[in-house]
Amino acid sequence: MVSESDRDADRHADRESFPEPEPGTGAGACGGPGAGAETGPASNAARTSVWLDRRAPSRSRRTESPVGLDRNRITEASVRLLDADGLAKFSMRRLAAELDVTAMSLYWYVDTKDDLLELALDSVYAEIAPPREDADWRDRLRELARSYRELLVRHIWISPLAGTFLNIGPNSMLFSYAVQDIVRATGLPLERQTGALSAVFQFVYGFGTVEGHFKARCDATGLTQDEYHQQAMSTIRAQPHMRQITEASDELMAARGGKTVEEMRERDFVFALDLLIAGIEAVRDRTGSSAR
């Protein structure tokens, strides 16, 4: 049974204002991964990040701290719920039920639901393996881009959060540092490096976000990605006014190659990333810089 205190806790968490973030507040706040992305929940603008708030959560209205509960356990449970139910259904009450505690007891460790979302977001960045230090920058860039794409597909809820929060937690900052280290190694002039960083990782952000949502939509229907795609295309082709568009689309898809949706998507990702790398090389060569 949900207690009145639990309902109060949920009302407290869910009435936080959701202002839009300032431009360029993605990972590293420098135009990096997630900067300028779609917006989602955000804390009070005066309190920009759980990582900047060194105050302990106020306990004046809290119940006794439950035994065995800590911030890491709460964060892990938050990630599980977000993966299972999505961002829209996430609440303090659902999280409390998952942990078998009262919702009010969570406020021993966080002040708002947004704090939990920010903690969960940073925690999943730990899943991105650091690129090989001894590899060529092109290979390192491909490895990191692929890991970021896979993260976005695996946890589709991080897409709306990545451009909302400052992303200055420890795992996010390690990711930002790895990205910047690779871009420095390209040999681009310093003033061009943030643009190259944005070009690559904004592309990966968009690609992974769309891929993740398409996969989730297919899973929800109980169809494979190929079955879903075939049904959708059959419906579109049956409409006479769409014939010219579908015929052109069929030509493009046939030229692209690949027998499955996943194969076609992989070909697109690899080629698009190669184009971006070629562009970085072209600008570097034009400016007379050299790669390290």
Side-chain angles (χ1 to χ4, degrees), residues 72-88:
N72 286 339
R73 186 182 168 204
I74 292 172
T75 301
E76 290 170 358
S78 297
V79 171
R80 288 197 303 271
L81 280 182
L82 288 163
D83 285 343
D85 299 334
L87 185 58

Side-chain angles (χ1 to χ4, degrees), residues 37-38 148-149 151-153 155-156 158-160 162 202-217:
E38 61 182 291
Y148 186 43
R149 169 193 170 191
L151 184 76
L152 290 161
V153 175
H155 305 291
I156 62 172
I158 75 174
S159 294
Q202 292 289 1
F203 153 68
V204 179
Y205 171 87
F207 195 100
T209 296
V210 172
E211 180 180 3
H213 283 285
F214 180 76
K215 182 178 182 300
R217 190 179 304 120

Side-chain angles (χ1 to χ4, degrees), residues 26-146:
C30 63
E38 61 182 291
T39 59
S43 298
N44 187 311
R47 185 175 178 280
T48 53
S49 172
V50 68
W51 303 108
L52 296 179
D53 188 354
R54 297 304 180 187
R55 298 177 296 108
S58 172
R59 293 175 173 80
S60 60
R61 58 180 174 80
R62 313 298 202 242
T63 58
E64 185 178 352
S65 176
V67 176
L69 196 62
D70 57 37
R71 189 177 258 195
N72 286 339
R73 186 182 168 204
I74 292 172
T75 301
E76 290 170 358
S78 297
V79 171
R80 288 197 303 271
L81 280 182
L82 288 163
D83 285 343
D85 299 334
L87 185 58
K89 294 182 179 180
F90 182 78
S91 71
M92 300 293 269
R93 182 165 60 84
R94 284 173 178 262
L95 177 61
E98 173 75 8
L99 292 166
D100 196 25
V101 298
T102 65
M104 290 301 292
S105 66
L106 298 175
Y107 291 103
W108 273 90
Y109 305 95
V110 293
D111 274 330
T112 68
K113 184 173 73 174
D114 281 1
D115 287 354
L116 286 173
L117 293 176
E118 195 173 7
L119 290 167
L121 174 63
D122 186 71
S123 72
V124 297
Y125 275 94
E127 299 173 17
I128 298 178
R132 295 169 295 160
E133 294 184 0
D134 58 345
D136 180 81
W137 70 264
R138 299 162 189 82
D139 294 330
R140 293 163 61 200
L141 184 60
R142 290 186 179 96
E143 289 174 7
L144 201 60
R146 181 172 296 280

Side-chain angles (χ1 to χ4, degrees), residues 24 120 152 154 208 222 239 260:
L152 290 161
R154 190 161 56 246
Q239 303 177 45
T260 67

Side-chain angles (χ1 to χ4, degrees), residues 259-289:
K259 296 180 179 179
T260 67
V261 170
E262 292 182 78
E263 288 177 359
M264 290 185 286
R265 190 165 52 223
E266 180 66 15
R267 285 170 181 255
D268 285 347
F269 180 80
V270 170
F271 182 64
L273 193 55
D274 283 345
L275 284 178
L276 290 168
I277 290 173
I280 291 173
E281 292 175 321
V283 172
R284 181 204 63 207
D285 294 343
R286 190 171 67 239
T287 57
S289 302

